[in-house]
Amino acid sequence: MTLYTCECGKESKEIGKATIVYRSGKWVCKEAECSCGKYMDSEPQDGIPTLRRTEPSLNINRDKLWKGAKEKLVGERGINEPFK
């Protein structure tokens, strides 16, 4: 979790899942809005953030597409079988 603090000093918040949006000319965390109307800021931490991609093309059934393409390219024979 990341600790977000406001410039006014009144409020701080720990946020586990942050949604980054473009507001007023800069990138901010949507959940880190202070009661004074400003967006809180956080200190960078070491490590790589976990990003989750949500495009519909990234579903679990993507292997079915490869199986169909493999059959069309290779045909009836296997990959390692010689041509007759």
Side-chain angles (χ1 to χ4, degrees):
M1 294 179 78
T2 306
L3 180 65
Y4 285 84
T5 54
C6 187
E7 295 173 357
C8 67
K10 293 179 184 176
E11 198 172 334
S12 64
K13 202 187 279 189
E14 278 199 26
I15 298 176
K17 293 183 179 181
T19 307
I20 307 299
V21 293
Y22 191 72
R23 302 265 167 93
S24 303
K26 66 181 208 174
W27 293 97
V28 295
C29 175
K30 183 168 84 172
E31 292 84 6
E33 188 172 7
C34 184
S35 57
C36 68
K38 295 180 180 178
Y39 284 95
M40 298 183 219
D41 198 16
S42 68
E43 292 295 322
Q45 296 180 350
D46 292 335
I48 300 173
T50 304
L51 299 177
R52 184 172 185 187
R53 296 183 66 185
T54 57
E55 289 99 9
S57 63
L58 297 174
N59 60 13
I60 296 179
N61 298 327
R62 63 184 171 265
D63 291 333
K64 292 179 182 177
L65 179 65
W66 171 244
K67 287 181 183 178
K70 181 179 167 186
E71 289 176 5
K72 291 175 186 171
L73 292 171
V74 175
E76 294 287 324
R77 68 178 188 84
I79 295 174
N80 295 324
E81 294 177 11
F83 289 106
K84 293 183 181 178

